Each structure stands twice: as C-alpha cells, then as structure tokens.
C-alpha cells in the first residue's frame, strides 16, 4: 500500500447494533449520510478491516426506521476508489477524507470517545469540555452521545505519518498513528536555546541557522573548547543562564550550556553538553569538562544528551558538571566577589 490506498466495500448493516438506542434510531439519516461520505471520499481501509465489507444494498431492518428509500433517492453507486498520498504533513490531499475525522473546533483528528449532538455534529472529547457541552454548530446540548459509527470507521483506516513530508514513509492504523508520531524519528526538533521560551521547530540545519541568525549564538569549529564565564555580584544571582555556544565537531553540532540555579537550598553552577540529533546518535560520542583554580580542579566525563530532552530536563537530572557556588568563587580567586570560571573540554567519538 505504498502508492495508493483502496476502499473496501461496506454495508449499512455493518453500522447496525442490536437494539440500537433511541438517539441512534432517530438519527439513522445522519449515519446514512456518513456512509455516503465514506464511499464518496474514498477512505482507505486497512487490509482485512472488519468495519465495512460489501456495499450491496441498504435494508430497512432497524425497528421504526426506514432507510430503504435513501439509496434510490440519492442514487448511490458504490465503487472502489483510490486515494493518493501526498497531502500536507502526510494528510490525504482529499479534503473530504480529512474533514470526516477532523474536529470542527480544534481541527485535530478525533480519537475515541468521539461525541455527537442529537443532530449528528461531531467533535472530540477535549473540545466537548471547552464548549461547555454545547454543540458549536447547532447550539444543542451535547449530552453523552457517542458517535460509534465514526469510531468504527476510524478502526479500519490506515493513514500516513503526519511527518511524511519530512521523510517518514510509513503508514499506520488510525489508532496507532498518534503513538508513532510522538516518537517518529522524522519529527522536528525544538529550538535548544535556553533562557527563552522559543517555539521554533525544524530539522537540524534549520535550527543551526535559527540559532545563528535569531539568537546570535556563538558558533565554533573544533572538538576542544575553552570558555570563560564571568559574573559580578554572584551572591545576588540565584538563577542565570549564559549565552549558548554551539560547536561543529565530526560534522555534527553540540550545544554547551552553563547556568546558575538552586539545587535544593544550595546555589550551584552547572555546565553540560547537548547533541543536536537523536539519542541513539548522541551515544556515539563522549565529552569531558574541567574547571579549576588555586591548584584544584573538577573533572566531568559523560555522554551528551540529545536535544530531544529539554534543557530543563537535563539540568534537573544533574547530568553534567556541577560546581557549588563557594567552590566556584574559590576557583575564581581574589576576594570571591566576582565569578571568573574557565571551563575547558573536548568531544570525542567512541569507536
């Protein structure tokens, strides 16, 4: 199913449930319209999908309901159709397919429980709370009506990853798609800049350009570094972040962080390295950091953390060189009224 996806045949009978509840009987027209849209838009069905099998005819077998005329009035001719992949971020280019499972409020794809009002308008469970149980389309009370038919449709769908345009060519059952996308190796990275809530995302080359042009980050070539961090009146600073430095080494990029924060009740400084790439690639490298003065020194050796892990997550895990403030001021020399730390280090590739 690489180049296109085909619709299997379906029946209205497959939407029937024994002794359907009152709201379902009174809204069979809505379900019939839903089935028409499914056929019309050519939704891709999973191989062996159990929800829809044969579109032959519609029977008026549900008590107190008559949908037999719907077929003749609307002149539905069920045929097999093909859906071609290639929409934005892996969504089908056919807008009707996308809209069928799209929440009208947040525009995200809906997952169970999918709710509907008595008139058949659907929305996701998150938005049901946001609209205070009032249908945003017709303003009727939503109640607790589940759109079981649409949930059943979704069970048989296969969709491409939304990061298809970034290189992911895999296709997943509808309910597995969301979990995959949370860990897809093609998903964009978040900006690694610390000290601001930057919302920019992208691939590594785009983020490197962003750091250089927008954050004015220092860029250095080489696998060794020697940086000096200075701060006047360090006793008055409980939290501070120094400018990020990016190193180009072995054809990859590494981010050197240095900051002050409270570790429990103790004020500390911390230096650590993050790798601009995934964790499995980061583990191919090691690095060391060294700081000292007055004949003493501290040395740290570790593995750089992927920028998939946020700056705060790495810092809070204490995965780096941690220096107590009093020791840092001792390393600085003088009257201990000014921070003057020199941090040196290197990066190497593990064999």
């Amino acid at each position: 199913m690489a180049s296109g996806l085909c619709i299997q045949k379906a029946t209205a009978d497959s939407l029937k449930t024994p002794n359907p509840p009152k709201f379902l009987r009174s809204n069979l027209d809505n379900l019939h319209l839903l089935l028409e849209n499914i056929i019309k838009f050519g939704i891709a069905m999973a191989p062996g999908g159990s929800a829809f099998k044969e579109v032959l005819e519609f029977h008026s077998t549900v008590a107190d309901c008559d949908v037999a005329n719907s077929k003749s009035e609307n002149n539905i001719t069920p045929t097999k159709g093909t859906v071609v992949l290639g929409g934005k971020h892996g969504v089908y280019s056919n807008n009707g397919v996308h809209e069928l499972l799209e929440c009208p409020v947040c525009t995200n794809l809906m997952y169970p429980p999918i709710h509907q009002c008595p008139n058949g308008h659907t929305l996701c469970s998150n938005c049901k709370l946001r609209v205070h149980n009032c249908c945003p389309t017709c303003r009727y009370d939503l109640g607790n009506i589940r759109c079981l038919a649409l949930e059943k449709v979704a069970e048989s769908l296969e969709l491409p990853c939304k990061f298809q345009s970034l290189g992911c060519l895999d296709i997943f059952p509808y309910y597995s798609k969301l979990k995959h996308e949370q860990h897809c190796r093609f998903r964009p990275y978040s900006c690694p800049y610390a000290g601001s809530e930057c919302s920019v995302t992208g691939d590594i080359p785009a983020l490197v350009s962003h750091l250089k042009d927008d954050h004015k980050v220092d860029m250095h070539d080489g696998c060794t570094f020697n940086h000096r961090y200075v701060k006047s009146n360090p006793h008055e600073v409980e939290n501070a972040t120094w400018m990020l430095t990016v190193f180009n080494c072995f054809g990859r990029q590494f981010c050197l962080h240095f900051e002050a924060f409270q570790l429990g009740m103790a004020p500390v400084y911390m230096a650590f390295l993050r790798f601009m790439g995934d964790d499995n690639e980061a583990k191919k490298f090691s690095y060391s950091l060294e700081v000292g003065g007055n004949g003493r020194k501290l040395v740290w050796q570790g593995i750089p953390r992927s920028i998939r892990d946020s700056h705060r997550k790495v810092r809070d895990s204490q995965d780096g060189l941690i220096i107590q403030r009093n020791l840092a001021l001792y390393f600085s020399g003088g009257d201990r009224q000014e921070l003057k730390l020199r941090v040196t280090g290197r990066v190497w590739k593990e064999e």
Side-chain angles (χ1 to χ4, degrees), residues 157-169:
L157 292 181
E158 284 194 334
L159 297 175
C161 172
K162 72 176 180 179
F163 303 121
Q164 183 190 45
S165 63
L166 299 178
C168 183
L169 302 179

Side-chain angles (χ1 to χ4, degrees), residues 117-129:
C117 75
N119 290 323
H121 303 125
T122 58
L123 78 166
C124 70
S125 56
N126 289 334
C127 290
K128 181 175 183 287
L129 299 175

Side-chain angles (χ1 to χ4, degrees), residues 188-193 198-202 207 274 276 307-308:
Y189 297 89
S190 298
C191 174
Y193 190 80
C198 183
S199 60
V200 171
T201 61
L207 287 183
R274 286 202 293 165
M276 296 189 71
I307 60 171
R308 294 289 190 199

Side-chain angles (χ1 to χ4, degrees), residues 209-259:
S209 297
H210 165 68
L211 290 170
K212 182 180 179 180
D213 299 336
D214 299 330
H215 293 297
K216 310 302 180 185
V217 166
D218 291 332
M219 300 282 181
H220 296 274
D221 293 322
C223 298
T224 61
F225 47 89
N226 187 332
H227 277 258
R228 192 165 181 256
Y229 298 96
V230 178
K231 188 72 175 179
S232 58
N233 302 319
H235 291 283
E236 299 177 5
V237 178
E238 300 297 334
N239 293 279
T241 300
W242 277 257
M243 179 64 75
L244 179 71
T245 304
V246 176
F247 298 92
N248 295 304
C249 177
F250 298 108
R252 307 307 298 266
Q253 290 74 38
F254 300 82
C255 300
L256 177 62
H257 296 265
F258 185 80
E259 61 183 275

